[in-house]
Amino acid sequence: MKRIFYTALTFIAMASCDVLETEPQTSLESGSVLVDAASANAILLGAYSEMQDINYYGAEFILNNDLIADNSVYQGFYDSQLEIDQKAVPYTNLWVTESWVEIYEVINISNLLITGVDGIDDPQLDRDLVYGEAHAIRALAYFDLLRYFGEHYNLQSVYGLPLLLEPIPDNDFNQIPNLPRSTVQETYNQINNDLAIAIDLLQGTSDSGRMNYWAALSLRARVSLYQKNYSQAFQDADMVIKSSPFALEPVLEDIYNTTEASGESIFEIEYNEQDQSSFNTYTIRRDEYNVDEDLLDFFDENDLRQAFVVEERGRLRTGKYLDPDNSNNAKIFRLTELYLIRSEAAVFSSNDPNAGSADLNEIRDRAGLGSVESFSSVTAYTDALLYERRAELNYEGHRFFDLVRFDRIDQVLGMEDFRKVFPLPRNELQTSDALEQNPGYPSS
């Protein structure tokens, strides 16, 4: 764990400076950064800025999920994506190495706020907002790490995450903790604790460009689904659907044809012409994440969502990130997913294959497919659910995780079971004697 934070505090220090300064601060003096409302808000915005990184929500965290699955195919020039497309990711993979660092940097920024905001005496500070968002961001970051690098699908597994819960003190890298991995259950407990705090403190917020109250509820619904806590997943999804200010877009194109958040977007990482994502670069201009023909062939002939597979320069590409200025946002939570979560939770909590049909049909009807009258079994329902999740959420970072959750990576992708998770990066293993590699991967 020692390597991961070498750049984190430098970034935090820069985030706390006056944004108009031409020579930003490049070092952190103990106790001198988190001092007032302005610095707290700047550091909070710094966490969102780190989440924009290309290795996280700026492109690759989302797109690699489809590349290792069956939605995307590599036809480009980068070895990192080639290794992922080949479904045999080594522990030296560049994205594995850099994403681990990047997401822990987001966690470290959150830790600084969580542990330091109570010490600020400034009437301008909205303490609950900063504290709540920091907890929500940390929960999201840990869950994202767990899904790629921990055995999230097995609550009995010892292969969870190292839980860094304090900021690195005094900018002294000799004090960076050499943390072992916590269990999967312990990791989920931390995520759930952070979400409970965030949900309590963020009530009344709904800015889709930030981790607002409804985004925190949506995250808990998603996290609960992964834990098979179906009652909690249903309850949170139900609340978001019934009580939030968000609504399904009647026209599918309205979800993607603008650089602004759509009416069903609960939380997006936002970009603009000056602060760009890399979605268009990678999916339209380059060939690392082209659409696999299997995705196009998979659609029912009447499914309107197949229109989001487009042909550009002789290659199949996703039509979800067409803005040429790379102002395409990362869609973290859409209301559509909450309908699918509520549907899944209803079925698997009751073992009734038709308990979630109304929600599934809501999504099918918008896509031009019409309603399914009934399912003969839970297996038949599951096939229909996975169809909807793939058709609706492709190129939004869900497909591989869905195949892992339903134990289908061998059946669908021909992958060995241990590859349900990615390897921990070699760099981290070489600098930590407490960190244990995932089973099946080399440790040195």
Side-chain angles (χ1 to χ4, degrees):
M1 288 288 290
K2 289 187 178 295
R3 178 179 173 276
I4 64 176
F5 305 108
Y6 283 7
T7 61
L9 288 180
T10 298
F11 177 83
I12 295 170
M14 293 172 66
S16 68
C17 299
D18 188 329
V19 295
L20 299 180
E21 288 180 2
T22 57
E23 297 293 334
Q25 181 180 341
T26 57
S27 64
L28 179 66
E29 297 179 6
S30 178
S32 66
V33 173
L34 188 56
V35 294
D36 56 17
S39 61
N41 289 323
I43 293 170
L44 181 58
L45 291 176
Y48 288 105
S49 183
E50 278 294 293
M51 294 168 76
Q52 290 179 318
D53 187 270
I54 188 173
N55 293 298
Y56 198 9
Y57 282 121
E60 294 191 43
F61 178 90
I62 289 176
L63 298 180
N64 284 339
N65 193 283
D66 286 70
L67 186 60
I68 198 170
D70 50 353
N71 288 343
S72 181
V73 62
Y74 168 89
Q75 296 174 312
F77 301 97
Y78 289 170
D79 287 344
S80 176
Q81 282 89 348
L82 173 61
E83 292 167 346
I84 294 170
D85 185 47
Q86 290 176 333
K87 305 180 188 352
V89 183
Y91 72 162
T92 54
N93 179 269
L94 181 62
W95 180 77
V96 164
T97 301
E98 295 187 350
S99 64
W100 177 273
V101 175
E102 186 62 41
I103 300 174
Y104 266 108
E105 288 183 3
V106 173
I107 289 168
N108 198 39
I109 297 171
S110 301
N111 289 344
L112 179 66
L113 292 166
I114 289 167
T115 60
V117 73
D118 279 343
I120 297 175
D121 183 15
D122 185 342
Q124 300 301 313
L125 176 67
D126 188 337
R127 187 171 281 100
D128 285 354
L129 181 66
V130 173
Y131 197 60
E133 283 189 54
H135 276 283
I137 290 169
R138 186 169 73 176
L140 178 62
Y142 269 127
F143 184 53
D144 287 342
L145 276 171
L146 182 64
R147 290 189 291 168
Y148 265 116
F149 297 105
E151 294 184 343
H152 60 85
Y153 48 87
N154 179 7
L155 297 182
Q156 309 306 315
S157 172
V158 298
Y159 296 102
L161 297 175
L163 294 176
L164 181 79
L165 302 177
E166 298 286 337
I168 306 306
D170 300 324
N171 202 25
D172 180 358
F173 298 124
N174 291 320
Q175 298 184 53
I176 297 175
N178 196 19
L179 295 171
R181 300 178 73 159
S182 297
T183 68
V184 169
Q185 187 61 69
E186 288 167 342
T187 306
Y188 272 125
N189 289 346
Q190 181 59 50
I191 294 167
N192 290 330
N193 289 341
D194 279 343
L195 284 173
I197 293 170
I199 289 167
D200 181 58
L201 295 177
L202 292 176
Q203 294 186 52
T205 62
S206 59
D207 182 348
S208 62
R210 304 178 76 121
M211 276 297 289
N212 60 74
Y213 172 72
W214 304 106
L217 273 178
S218 298
L219 176 55
R220 192 167 67 180
R222 185 190 288 175
V223 170
S224 298
L225 199 69
Y226 275 63
Q227 297 173 90
K228 300 183 179 180
N229 182 354
Y230 297 121
S231 61
Q232 185 68 64
F234 183 94
Q235 177 181 320
D236 289 336
D238 188 60
M239 182 174 293
V240 175
I241 292 167
K242 290 180 176 177
S243 303
S244 79
F246 308 100
L248 292 179
E249 290 284 0
V251 180
L252 286 165
E253 287 78 4
D254 290 343
I255 302 170
Y256 305 107
N257 68 1
T258 175
T259 57
E260 301 295 326
S262 75
E264 69 177 63
S265 287
I266 300 166
F267 174 49
E268 297 189 357
I269 300 292
E270 297 179 334
Y271 298 89
N272 54 52
E273 291 183 23
Q274 288 72 43
D275 193 9
Q276 298 180 354
S277 67
S278 295
F279 288 108
N280 185 269
T281 297
Y282 272 125
T283 63
I284 301 296
R285 302 180 208 174
R286 296 186 57 88
D287 296 308
E288 277 70 39
Y289 300 99
N290 293 341
V291 169
D292 193 317
E293 287 189 6
D294 184 78
L295 176 60
L296 182 60
D297 294 342
F298 138 90
F299 284 104
D300 183 285
E301 63 179 356
N302 297 316
D303 196 327
L304 299 175
R305 291 166 295 195
Q306 64 188 304
F308 293 110
V309 177
V310 299
E311 185 171 343
E312 290 276 347
R313 303 193 329 276
R315 298 281 176 83
L316 294 176
R317 306 176 189 277
T318 180
K320 292 186 174 183
Y321 304 107
L322 294 179
D323 184 73
D325 295 317
N326 265 322
S327 298
N328 306 280
N329 292 349
K331 300 184 187 303
I332 316 302
F333 295 107
R334 287 199 287 122
L335 192 63
T336 300
E337 183 193 355
L338 277 297
Y339 275 91
L340 296 174
I341 288 174
R342 190 171 69 173
S343 175
E344 182 179 339
V347 169
F348 284 94
S349 62
S350 65
N351 203 35
D352 176 357
N354 296 302
S357 296
D359 285 332
L360 210 62
N361 287 331
E362 187 84 23
I363 306 306
R364 287 178 57 84
D365 288 345
R366 183 176 68 172
L369 294 179
S371 299
V372 175
E373 292 185 5
S374 65
F375 296 102
S376 60
S377 66
V378 171
T379 299
Y381 165 81
T382 301
D383 290 341
L385 172 71
L386 287 174
Y387 176 94
E388 290 307 312
R389 290 187 64 89
R390 187 183 187 191
E392 188 72 35
L393 301 174
N394 64 82
Y395 278 83
E396 296 181 43
H398 295 269
R399 177 61 172 170
F400 181 67
F401 297 147
D402 285 342
L403 294 176
V404 169
R405 287 197 302 119
F406 286 97
D407 197 22
R408 295 194 180 193
I409 68 164
D410 181 16
Q411 173 188 339
V412 177
L413 306 177
M415 294 176 66
E416 298 169 278
D417 193 67
F418 78 90
R419 296 192 184 277
K420 286 178 178 176
V421 295
F422 280 40
L424 269 58
R426 181 179 65 177
N427 289 358
E428 307 306 323
L429 296 166
Q430 290 179 334
T431 56
S432 172
D433 56 13
L435 201 57
E436 185 177 356
Q437 179 62 283
N438 287 321
Y441 293 103
S443 58
S444 62

